[in-house]
Amino acid sequence: MTSAEHQEFTASVRALLTKHAGSAAVRAAIDTDVGYDAALWQRLCEQIGVAALAIPEEYDGIGASLLESLLVVGELGRTLADVPMLGSAVLGAQAVLLSGDTEACARLLPGVAEGSRTIALCWAGADGWDVFGVQAEGETLGGTAHYVLGAHADTLIVITADGLFEVAPDAAGVTRRAVATMDPTRKLAEITFDGVTGHRLGAADPAAISTRLREIAWAAVAAEQVGAMRQCLEITVEYTKSRVQFGRAIGGFQALKHRMADMYVLLESAQSAALAAAVAVAEHSPSAAEDVWAARLHCSEAFTQIVAETVQLHGGIAITWEHDAHLFFKRAHGDAQLFGNPRRPLARTA
């Protein structure tokens, strides 16, 4: 269970998002180049300090833990607002910290904590996150990073088999191309590096960094999925209370009550798995790999089932552009593939 302080914290995040990240705001952001409302991001950073949560105090952060950051990611899942929390404040900042380069940390992280700087992590190859998309020969980078979150960032952090590199987004040889996605609320891009000179960050093992970032990413996506599932259940319950058929609200029919009860059971079990993964990752628990693995599998399956029920119980309105159910449906299928999937059963990590 989260503490009373955590519950108060998430309530404050939820209140801000309820006021400033409603459906109309999220839909308006879809048509922008960056895919999010910059004013909303500034409010989250200035009023709550979300970007500073997991950044150490020595770099102008709050010095909390990844758990608090993932609680924010979960609340963002309820709204589908694609602000740079996951890509920059969580994964980008953690990549810089994991590099062990104190100079880069002191130079980059204060801006991230403040919300004035965003970081995009260039990582995956064309076939996913198991292979680095960019290669390094000395300090020269070549190749294409796929599925980049927040590609309009102020700083690019490139993970290669030979180490981590910092690159300016406007450096010679860097080209960015937006890619079509199923989920319109989350923009992804390809960034190509053609003979680009990068600034090496630290001397940490990139394979170990990649493994740690994958655990963080899966725990974060699980948290986001739980937030989205809860929103799907809530809007479904509200709809069945107001939709009248055969002279009564459809929520009063026993068959529909059973289906919503099943949605609730799935949600609660997914929340337990996601919270266990978040705590394990934040505390560097020996069971982190297994906990994250379980959360990744269960939350993806649960979200897919819950959003399918949301569409079914809303009827034809759910597949219209005007209703948000289809946006959650698309996020569910996008999240199920984001950062890759476990290839083998849990016994592999156990």
Side-chain angles (χ1 to χ4, degrees), residues 218-234:
W218 280 357
V221 171
E224 177 184 280
Q225 289 169 321
V226 169
M229 283 184 248
R230 189 167 297 280
Q231 181 69 3
C232 285
L233 177 58
E234 289 177 2

Side-chain angles (χ1 to χ4, degrees), residues 7 18 37 45 48 56 60 62 115 120 130 146 150 170 180 186 193 195 214 219 235 258 275 280 282 305 329 348:
Q7 292 172 14
T18 299
D37 180 359
C45 293
I48 301 179
D60 295 346
I62 293 175
D130 294 322
H146 295 257
D170 57 354
R186 169 165 281 153
F193 301 83
R214 177 74 71 91
I235 65 175
H258 286 167
L275 182 56
Q305 292 184 38
F329 180 87
R348 174 180 173 179

